[in-house]
Amino acid sequence: MTDYALSKGIIPSLDGLRAVSIAIVFAGHARLSTAIPGGLGVTVFFFLSGFLITTLLIREYDRYGSVSLPAFFARRVIRLMPPLLTTLFAGAVLVWLGLSVGALDVKTLLSQILFYFNYYAVYGAGEGESYVRGFAILWSLSVEEHFYFVWPFVFLVVARQGFSIRFIVVLLVAILAWRSYRYLVWLDSAWMIYTLTDTRFDSILYGCLLAVLQRRAVTNRLFPTTRWSQILILGSAFAVIFFTLIWREPVFRSTLRYSLQGLALMPLFHYAVTQPRMKLFQPLNWGWVRWIGVMSYTFYICHYVIIGMFTYLGLFEANYPAFVFASASAALLWSAAVYYLLEVPLKPLRKRLIGHPTLAPVGQP
């Protein structure tokens, strides 16, 4: 990491990348953009989750020589559950008041709260929607929570093997092969491939790989800091992402597309967090952009519900710019309220949950 990151105690540009991701998702759901689909924003979120969580686990492992799994899971629960439960409750109230549409099905609600909604929606929900309009996007939270449950155990294996890069690469290849098998042999739909954990886990794992590569200082060789090298590598990364958006061949879109996007995001994230003063990445660290990134989790889980509500009520139907502005503003207001009233008061508790009360940092008495 750079001196900038160390002095601030943060990972530069990550909140800005969250803001970019949620902007892409919102644009897709609000029908602002067909060229850049909202699914790309979800993929960026997945990558970011893998990179951030692995970076934090590496810091803990380097400091204490171990990882406290109970503390890790407790921090995740405190971070994720209050906004989710509050927003689910608010969505149910909207339906109850007749301000939105949807079904208040207990089984579906449990699948969303317990993070198996992606599989339940595919295999168990039956015909028709069984949830509040706008909560279909919660499939992605299921993927991330499955990652949070599995990855710390895998991480310990990787760390105890000297942060083995080969092990992660084998996993990435295996998931690509499995995804291809499910699509080509089992004839799974593109939607199933897009939403199920076992076919999308690698979108998160590429972020994990980048964090391990940085820990091993391999990125210094892969991504040089000379100006023309950076231009070439970043230009190639954007070109690959652009290609994955315009190439519409079905087999490619349900198999290799996610792998190419994961590979292309690696240099973008690396330079963004290690070279935050580059002109390309400076906007990611502007205060208001970072603030939107901080709000992005709650914004993500509430914005589609708000879009659905405004659509159902016919608000601003004659003025599309006003519809977009009102939807984004309402989502930001709800996100800010949840953040300052629920998340901020819980931050001290999360920080205290380090899980190493009796251990001194490695190398200290």
Side-chain angles (χ1 to χ4, degrees):
M1 287 297 156
T2 62
D3 292 339
Y4 177 91
L6 295 175
S7 65
K8 296 293 184 180
I10 60 173
I11 302 176
S13 303
L14 280 198
D15 285 332
L17 287 165
R18 285 192 181 101
V20 171
S21 302
I22 196 59
I24 294 173
V25 172
F26 179 81
H29 287 157
R31 305 182 306 281
L32 278 171
S33 173
T34 56
I36 303 179
L40 176 62
V42 175
T43 298
V44 176
F45 269 127
F46 283 165
F47 188 101
L48 191 151
S49 293
F51 176 75
L52 175 60
I53 291 300
T54 306
T55 298
L56 296 178
L57 289 173
I58 287 172
R59 290 179 178 179
E60 180 179 353
Y61 190 87
D62 286 344
R63 180 173 176 81
Y64 296 104
S66 64
V67 169
S68 173
L69 296 179
F72 173 85
F73 293 127
R75 290 194 300 268
R76 290 295 90 205
V77 170
I78 294 171
R79 168 70 179 94
L80 299 172
M81 290 305 290
L84 176 63
L85 294 176
T86 306
T87 304
L88 283 172
F89 178 77
V93 170
L94 290 176
V95 172
W96 181 68
L97 293 175
L99 299 177
S100 188
V101 293
L104 302 179
D105 179 73
V106 174
K107 292 182 179 179
T108 301
L109 188 61
L110 282 175
S111 75
Q112 293 169 337
I113 294 173
L114 299 178
F115 303 110
Y116 59 92
F117 177 62
N118 59 338
Y119 285 96
Y120 181 76
V122 169
Y123 294 114
E127 297 295 329
E129 292 186 357
S130 58
Y131 45 81
V132 176
R133 176 180 289 181
F135 280 145
I137 61 173
L138 295 183
W139 68 266
S140 60
L141 293 192
S142 298
V143 176
E144 290 206 24
E145 291 313 299
H146 299 161
F147 158 75
Y148 291 141
F149 182 76
V150 172
W151 175 245
F153 299 97
V154 178
F155 170 82
L156 287 174
V157 174
V158 172
R160 289 164 183 169
Q161 292 180 351
F163 291 98
S164 172
I165 297 170
R166 182 180 304 175
F167 184 76
I168 301 177
V169 172
V170 169
L171 287 177
L172 289 169
V173 174
I175 295 170
L176 172 59
W178 174 245
R179 180 164 60 237
S180 302
Y181 181 82
R182 289 199 60 156
Y183 186 75
L184 296 171
V185 179
W186 284 8
L187 303 180
D188 285 344
S189 68
W191 178 250
M192 292 172 68
I193 297 297
Y194 178 63
T195 60
L196 297 183
T197 304
D198 56 296
T199 54
R200 291 302 307 278
F201 197 84
D202 57 336
S203 292
I204 306 178
L205 197 56
Y206 277 104
C208 303
L209 176 60
L210 176 61
V212 173
L213 289 172
Q214 288 187 341
R215 168 62 172 74
R216 292 280 303 272
V218 177
T219 48
N220 296 333
R221 301 192 300 272
L222 291 176
F223 310 123
T225 57
T226 58
R227 181 184 178 188
W228 288 109
S229 296
Q230 290 177 338
I231 292 174
L232 177 62
I233 292 172
L234 289 172
S236 299
F238 281 116
V240 169
I241 291 176
F242 179 72
F243 171 78
T244 65
L245 298 179
I246 64 171
W247 184 248
R248 311 301 294 181
E249 200 279 323
V251 174
F252 167 78
R253 289 182 58 77
S254 289
T255 56
L256 193 58
R257 172 175 57 139
Y258 303 115
S259 300
L260 289 181
Q261 288 178 346
L263 288 170
L265 288 173
M266 290 178 67
L268 295 177
F269 268 74
H270 172 73
Y271 286 127
V273 302
T274 60
Q275 306 290 328
R277 296 188 180 91
M278 287 180 62
K279 289 185 178 180
L280 178 63
F281 302 121
Q282 285 179 9
L284 298 177
N285 297 284
W286 292 346
W288 67 272
V289 175
R290 289 184 57 208
W291 183 82
I292 292 175
V294 171
M295 301 297 115
S296 63
Y297 171 57
T298 303
F299 189 102
Y300 179 78
I301 59 180
C302 80
H303 79 279
Y304 209 13
V305 176
I306 292 171
I307 289 174
M309 177 185 69
F310 282 6
T311 301
Y312 175 69
L313 297 176
L315 298 178
F316 310 106
E317 59 184 355
N319 190 336
Y320 183 67
F323 172 84
V324 173
F325 178 79
S327 299
S329 298
L332 275 176
L333 285 172
W334 176 256
S335 302
V338 170
Y339 178 74
Y340 290 111
L341 296 178
L342 291 179
E343 296 185 64
V344 170
L346 289 172
K347 277 188 175 182
L349 175 60
R350 287 173 55 205
K351 290 181 178 180
R352 288 198 299 269
L353 290 172
I354 60 173
H356 301 279
T358 62
L359 291 177
V362 173
Q364 295 185 24

